Amino acid sequence: MQHRVVVIGAGFAGLQTVLGLKGSGCQITLIDQRNHHLFQPLLYQVATTLLATSDIAWPIRALLRDRKDVTTLLGTVEDVDRTTREVVLRSGERVGFDTLVIATGARHAYFGKDAWEPDAPGLKTLEDATTIRRRMLLAFERAELTENEAERQALLTFAVIGAGPTGVEMVGIIAELAHRILPREFRRMDTRKARILLVEAGPRILPAFSEDLSQYAAKALGRDGVEVMTGHPVTDCSGDGITVNGQFIPAQTTIWAAGVQASRAKDWLGAEADRAGRVMVAPDLTVPDDPAIFVLGDTAHVVSDGKPVPGVAPAAKQQGSYTAQVILARLTGKPAPAPFQYRHMGNLATIGRNSAVIEYGRFKMRGWLAWWVWGIAHIYFLIGARSRIFVALSWLWVFLSGQNSARLITQKETLKEP
Amino acid sequence: MQHRVVVIGAGFAGLQTVLGLKGSGCQITLIDQRNHHLFQPLLYQVATTLLATSDIAWPIRALLRDRKDVTTLLGTVEDVDRTTREVVLRSGERVGFDTLVIATGARHAYFGKDAWEPDAPGLKTLEDATTIRRRMLLAFERAELTENEAERQALLTFAVIGAGPTGVEMVGIIAELAHRILPREFRRMDTRKARILLVEAGPRILPAFSEDLSQYAAKALGRDGVEVMTGHPVTDCSGDGITVNGQFIPAQTTIWAAGVQASRAKDWLGAEADRAGRVMVAPDLTVPDDPAIFVLGDTAHVVSDGKPVPGVAPAAKQQGSYTAQVILARLTGKPAPAPFQYRHMGNLATIGRNSAVIEYGRFKMRGWLAWWVWGIAHIYFLIGARSRIFVALSWLWVFLSGQNSARLITQKETLKEP
C-alpha cells in the first residue's frame, strides 16, 4: 500500500513539501481553505493598487495538474485525530494519513485587542488586500464629497500600525498615491493634504535591519511625506481614529501590520506552543512525541543556530524542502538528514516605488539600485512565466506612466455613501 | 456663468458625452455609483476565467484626470428635481444642472420572476462577473468533494438561460473549461461529465444574426459539448435546478442572460417608457417635454430608421457623441444637428475561444478567422495602451498555454463547505 502523506496548507511551506515529494511514490493529499497559492511578499502591492490579484496568486490545482500523485481538496480542517490518524474536515470528511504535514500559516494578531480587527484590518489574504484597497480608495472618494473640513481631514488620514517591512512598504505607496498620483484627479480638495502615519511601538522602524539602514528608510519615508512615529504603542483604535502616546488622532483608515498569531494547529495536536501560538517542534520539524507529524512555516517555532527562525517566505520554503527530504529518507531507509538549518537570505524592503533597502550579512544596499535588485529577485521567485511577464510589465507600466493601474473599488461596500 | 452639464452614468454613453464636450467651456459633473468605467463586451471573459477584472475596467477619475472641467463624483442618484433643476444624491447632496444627461444603463430583468435572481445571477457588473466565476469554480470543487453521484452530477450541470451573444459566449468558454482544461486537475471525478446547457425560449440561438450563422453557431457549440435547448422558456428556477418544457433538470449553477430592464430614470423624470422601462425620447434624444434633459444608451428607447436602436456599446457611444454635438450647437448658437441616426456596426459573437460569427450587412464571416477579427476589434476598442497590451497578452497566453489564468476564488463564500 502506498504511503499516504496529507499536507494542510498550500502556502510556501506546504507547496514546497509537495514539490519535494515528486517521484516519491507517496499518495499525497493537499488541503487548503482557498483554491489558490498566494505570493504573500507582494500582497502589499495589491492592497496599494500596484498589482492585480491574479498577478500574485495561482490556482493550486493548476500548479499541480501534472502531478497525478497529488489530490487537491478545497476544505477547512477542523481537527486532527491522532488516534485514528485522520484529518477531520468541516464537511465531516476524514482523510487518513501515514505522515501529516501542517503548514497552515498565521493570521494577524491584535495582542488581546481583537475588537480592533474590524477597524484595523491586517494583510494576509487576497480578501484582506482588496478590503484595504477599497477602504483606502473610498476614503479619498468620501473626502471629495464631504463639505466638513474636519471630516475630510480624518478621511485623508491613513494610519499604518507596525513598521516591519509590510508596514513600511505600504506607507511608501500610500504616500505616493496621495501626494503624486491622485492630486490631478480630484477637483474639490487637495489630496496632498493627506496625512500618512507609520506608528511603531519599538524605538525604530525595520528593526530586523541594521540601524543605519533603518535610519535611511525613516528619512526616505519622511521625504516622501510619511510621518514616522516610533517609541509609542497604539493604546486605542476605533473606526474614528487611533490613540498614540495619550493623543487621539482622527483617522478613517487604519491598517494593522503589527503582529501575527499562528493558526490553530497547536489545538488540533494538543502540542506545546510559544506565545504567538507556534508549535514547538523538534530539530527535524516534527512534533516531539510524534515523528509522523511535521509542523512548519509560520505555524512552527523552529530554532536554528540557537535563534528562532523568522516567519519569512524563504524560511518556509526551506522547511518544506527539508520536510520532503526527511520523508524521502524514511521511505527509502536512508539515514535521517541533519537537523534543519536556516540559511538567511537577507532582509529586503521597498520604500515607495523607487527605493529599497537590502541587507545580507555585511552587505548593504539602498536607493534605486536596491529597488531594481529587489524587483528582479521577486520576479524570479514568482511562479511561472505568465506571472513574471505580467508583474514585470505592470511595474514597467507604473514606472513609465506614473499611474497605478489596480484601482478598482469592487464589492458591496461601494454603494455606501458617506 | 458657466453652463453646468451633469452626466449620470460613466458607461459608454455617458463617458462619450463627456469626451465630446472637451473644450466646450462647460462645467461638467460626472456621477457614477462605481469608481470605474467598465468594458461590458468582455465582461463574460471575466466571469469565465479568461480575463482579470482590472483588464476591462478603468478608474473614471484616471481617465479624466487631464480634464480640469470635469468633476467626478462617486455617488448614487436618488432623484431628479425638475423644478429646482437639481440631481439629488443619496447622501443628500444636490447638484444643480442647466443640461442633464442620463445614461444609467440597465440591469438584468427576470420578467416578473425576481425571486429567481439569487439563484440565477446575471452579468452586468464586475461583482456579477466574480460572483458567477466563484459559483462556477466552487461547483467543480464541491463536485470533487462529494461522494453522492446525483449531487455530483447536479454540481457539474451549468445552465445558461438566454442565447443572445452573452449566453452563447459564456457557454462556449464553460464547455472548454469543463471538457478540456479542468480534466487534468481533478482526481476523484471526470469533469468531462459536466453538462453545459444553453436554454432559449425563442426558436433559435443568436436571433439577431441571420439564420445560417445562427445554425453554424448552434452546431459549433454542440461539437464543443454544449446542449442547446431552444423553443421552450424556463418555467421555474431554484438553487437546485431549472424546469424547461415541464421537465426538472438538477443544476447547481444557473446564469441569467435572458433580458434587461432599464434603470430607474423614468421614475426620476416621470417620463413615458416602454415595457423594458426605457424612456421614450425625441429624435434628438431629449425628453419630449424638456429639451435640457437627455436620456441615452440602455436607459432610452431610441428609434432610428423606424426601428428601435439595440442596446449595444457602439449605439451607446454614438448617442454620447451625438448628445455632445447637440449641446455644443446650442451653446454656440449653431443650428441643431439632424435627428440621431444609428449606424449599425454589425453583429459579433464568439463561440468558445477559437471561433466567432460576424455579420455586417450582407458580409458574413465565421470560424477562427472571425475570432481574430473579433479579437482585434475588441482590443482596438479598449481604452489605453495598457489594457490593450494586457488583454492581448492574456489571450496570447491562453492560446499558447491552453490555460485560463483568472481562476481565483475570492470573497467570503470561499469558506463555505458543501
Side-chain angles (χ1 to χ4, degrees):
Chain A
M1 193 176 144
Q2 275 181 303
H3 188 82
R4 298 165 306 163
V5 178
V6 173
V7 178
I8 312 176
F12 287 112
L15 189 61
Q16 199 65 37
T17 307
V18 173
L19 296 178
L21 289 174
K22 187 174 180 178
S24 67
C26 296
Q27 178 191 320
I28 302 168
T29 306
L30 176 58
I31 304 170
D32 201 289
Q33 296 187 59
R34 313 263 160 183
N35 84 326
H36 50 268
H37 168 74
L38 179 64
F39 191 78
Q40 280 197 4
L42 289 179
L43 193 55
Y44 80 94
Q45 296 212 348
V46 174
T48 53
T49 73
L50 280 168
L51 291 177
T53 50
S54 51
D55 291 335
I56 61 158
W58 306 266
I60 300 162
R61 293 189 180 288
L63 293 176
L64 298 168
R65 65 178 174 274
D66 295 330
R67 289 284 300 274
K68 298 293 175 204
D69 55 329
V70 181
T71 301
T72 303
L73 297 183
L74 178 74
T76 304
V77 171
E78 281 279 288
D79 205 357
V80 173
D81 191 330
R82 290 175 69 171
T83 317
T84 61
R85 313 306 276 175
E86 288 171 319
V87 170
V88 185
L89 300 186
R90 188 180 294 168
S91 62
E93 182 173 346
R94 301 173 80 93
V95 185
F97 62 84
D98 300 308
T99 296
L100 175 63
V101 179
I102 301 180
T104 41
R107 283 289 293 170
H108 24 274
Y110 292 82
F111 311 128
K113 308 276 191 180
D114 288 349
W116 295 359
E117 182 160 17
D119 296 317
L123 185 65
K124 275 285 169 189
T125 66
L126 281 183
E127 286 85 0
D128 293 340
T130 50
T131 297
I132 289 172
R133 179 167 83 188
R134 184 177 62 242
R135 288 200 186 180
M136 194 176 69
L137 294 174
L138 277 178
F140 285 107
E141 295 292 340
R142 288 172 182 160
E144 175 86 340
L145 290 173
T146 186
E147 284 168 6
N148 177 323
E149 196 48 49
E151 188 188 355
R152 177 173 291 166
Q153 194 54 55
L155 282 162
L156 288 179
T157 303
F158 301 87
V160 175
I161 303 172
T166 303
V168 166
E169 290 176 324
M170 277 200 285
V171 285
I173 309 284
I174 298 172
E176 224 161 43
L177 203 59
H179 298 149
R180 295 196 212 158
I181 295 173
L182 295 183
R184 291 165 66 195
E185 300 188 8
F186 289 85
R187 303 285 176 258
R188 298 174 167 188
M189 62 163 180
D190 185 351
T191 64
R192 286 171 300 187
K193 288 186 180 159
R195 287 183 73 188
I196 293 102
L197 312 175
L198 179 63
V199 187
E200 166 63 41
R204 62 186 178 95
I205 70 168
L206 295 176
F209 287 72
S210 62
E211 209 153 332
D212 54 335
L213 282 186
S214 156
Q215 272 172 21
Y216 169 84
K219 243 183 233 167
L221 286 177
R223 236 185 350 253
D224 289 349
V226 174
E227 299 174 44
V228 178
M229 309 169 74
T230 51
H232 295 288
V234 169
T235 51
D236 199 16
C237 180
S238 74
D240 294 326
I242 57 171
T243 304
V244 184
N245 198 17
Q247 197 200 340
F248 176 74
I249 303 171
Q252 287 282 321
T253 311
T254 302
I255 301 168
W256 188 259
V260 294
Q261 177 78 20
S263 72
R264 288 179 46 229
K266 72 166 168 37
D267 301 331
W268 300 339
L269 300 174
E272 202 191 334
D274 69 8
R275 275 200 338 171
R278 288 179 297 217
V279 173
M280 310 299 289
V281 293
D284 66 351
L285 308 184
T286 59
V287 178
D289 61 347
D290 199 333
I293 299 182
F294 294 80
V295 184
L296 37 160
D298 288 355
T299 320
H301 180 101
V302 180
V303 175
S304 173
D305 293 328
K307 285 180 298 195
V309 174
V312 295
K317 285 170 100 168
Q318 291 171 24
Q319 291 170 35
S321 297
Y322 177 84
T323 300
Q325 280 170 34
V326 174
I327 297 171
L328 284 172
R330 287 181 190 168
L331 289 175
T332 53
K334 286 188 189 149
F340 174 74
Q341 180 115 25
Y342 171 57
R343 293 181 307 280
H344 186 56
M345 304 301 280
N347 290 316
L348 298 87
T350 57
I351 305 160
R353 68 182 178 201
N354 302 310
S355 183
V357 285
I358 297 181
E359 193 163 36
Y360 180 71
R362 286 190 187 170
F363 173 81
K364 291 177 188 178
M365 199 174 182
R366 60 197 208 184
W368 65 269
L369 193 59
W371 191 95
W372 282 93
V373 172
W374 171 91
I376 289 165
H378 279 75
I379 284 174
Y380 174 79
F381 284 114
L382 286 170
I383 298 178
R386 186 187 187 282
S387 299
R388 294 192 182 115
I389 294 168
F390 276 67
V391 169
L393 274 178
S394 293
W395 287 344
L396 189 67
W397 187 263
V398 170
F399 188 77
L400 295 176
S401 72
Q403 276 293 314
N404 296 4
S405 52
R407 280 171 44 198
L408 306 178
I409 302 177
T410 51
Q411 296 163 44
K412 296 282 150 65
E413 243 183 291
T414 316
L415 304 175
K416 273 195 215 155
E417 298 289 298
Chain B
M1 192 176 144
Q2 276 181 302
H3 188 82
R4 297 164 307 162
V5 178
V6 173
V7 178
I8 312 176
F12 287 111
L15 189 61
Q16 199 66 36
T17 307
V18 172
L19 296 177
L21 289 174
K22 187 173 181 178
S24 67
C26 295
Q27 178 191 322
I28 302 168
T29 305
L30 175 59
I31 304 171
D32 200 288
Q33 297 188 59
R34 314 264 161 182
N35 84 325
H36 49 268
H37 168 74
L38 179 63
F39 191 78
Q40 280 197 4
L42 289 180
L43 192 56
Y44 80 93
Q45 296 211 349
V46 173
T48 53
T49 73
L50 281 168
L51 291 177
T53 50
S54 50
D55 291 335
I56 60 157
W58 304 267
I60 300 161
R61 296 190 178 287
L63 293 176
L64 298 169
R65 65 176 174 275
D66 294 329
R67 287 285 299 274
K68 299 294 175 203
D69 55 330
V70 182
T71 301
T72 304
L73 297 183
L74 178 74
T76 304
V77 171
E78 282 277 290
D79 205 357
V80 173
D81 191 329
R82 290 174 68 170
T83 317
T84 61
R85 312 307 274 177
E86 287 171 321
V87 170
V88 185
L89 300 185
R90 188 180 295 168
S91 63
E93 181 171 348
R94 300 174 80 94
V95 185
F97 62 84
D98 299 309
T99 296
L100 175 63
V101 180
I102 301 180
T104 41
R107 283 288 295 170
H108 24 273
Y110 293 82
F111 310 128
K113 308 277 192 179
D114 288 348
W116 295 0
E117 182 160 17
D119 296 317
L123 184 65
K124 274 284 170 191
T125 66
L126 281 182
E127 286 86 0
D128 293 340
T130 49
T131 297
I132 289 172
R133 180 166 81 187
R134 184 176 62 242
R135 288 199 186 181
M136 195 176 68
L137 294 174
L138 276 178
F140 285 108
E141 294 292 341
R142 288 172 181 158
E144 176 85 340
L145 290 172
T146 186
E147 284 168 5
N148 178 322
E149 196 48 50
E151 189 187 354
R152 175 171 294 164
Q153 194 55 55
L155 283 161
L156 288 179
T157 303
F158 302 87
V160 175
I161 303 171
T166 303
V168 166
E169 289 176 323
M170 276 201 284
V171 286
I173 309 285
I174 298 172
E176 223 160 46
L177 203 59
H179 298 148
R180 293 196 214 159
I181 296 172
L182 295 182
R184 288 166 67 196
E185 299 187 9
F186 288 83
R187 303 286 176 257
R188 297 173 166 189
M189 62 162 179
D190 185 351
T191 63
R192 287 171 298 186
K193 288 186 180 159
R195 287 182 74 188
I196 293 100
L197 312 175
L198 179 64
V199 186
E200 166 63 42
R204 62 186 178 95
I205 70 169
L206 296 176
F209 288 72
S210 61
E211 207 151 334
D212 54 334
L213 283 185
S214 157
Q215 271 172 23
Y216 170 83
K219 243 184 231 168
L221 286 177
R223 234 183 355 250
D224 289 348
V226 174
E227 299 174 44
V228 178
M229 308 167 75
T230 51
H232 296 287
V234 169
T235 51
D236 199 17
C237 180
S238 75
D240 295 327
I242 57 171
T243 304
V244 185
N245 196 17
Q247 198 199 341
F248 176 74
I249 304 172
Q252 287 283 321
T253 311
T254 303
I255 302 167
W256 188 260
V260 294
Q261 178 77 20
S263 72
R264 288 180 45 231
K266 70 167 170 37
D267 301 331
W268 300 340
L269 300 175
E272 201 193 335
D274 68 8
R275 276 201 335 172
R278 290 178 297 216
V279 172
M280 310 299 290
V281 291
D284 66 351
L285 308 184
T286 59
V287 179
D289 61 347
D290 199 334
I293 300 182
F294 294 80
V295 184
L296 38 159
D298 288 355
T299 320
H301 181 102
V302 180
V303 174
S304 172
D305 292 328
K307 285 181 298 193
V309 174
V312 294
K317 286 171 98 168
Q318 291 172 25
Q319 291 169 35
S321 297
Y322 176 84
T323 300
Q325 281 171 33
V326 174
I327 296 171
L328 284 173
R330 288 183 190 167
L331 289 175
T332 52
K334 287 190 190 145
F340 173 75
Q341 179 117 23
Y342 171 56
R343 292 182 307 282
H344 185 55
M345 305 300 281
N347 290 317
L348 297 88
T350 57
I351 305 160
R353 67 181 178 204
N354 302 309
S355 183
V357 284
I358 297 180
E359 193 164 37
Y360 180 70
R362 286 187 187 172
F363 172 80
K364 291 177 189 180
M365 199 174 180
R366 60 197 208 185
W368 65 269
L369 192 59
W371 191 96
W372 282 93
V373 171
W374 171 91
I376 289 165
H378 279 75
I379 284 175
Y380 174 78
F381 283 113
L382 287 170
I383 298 179
R386 187 188 185 280
S387 298
R388 293 189 183 120
I389 293 168
F390 276 68
V391 169
L393 273 178
S394 293
W395 287 345
L396 190 67
W397 187 263
V398 170
F399 189 77
L400 295 176
S401 73
Q403 276 294 313
N404 296 6
S405 52
R407 280 172 44 198
L408 307 179
I409 301 176
T410 51
Q411 297 164 40
K412 294 285 149 63
E413 242 184 291
T414 316
L415 304 176
K416 273 196 216 154
E417 298 289 298

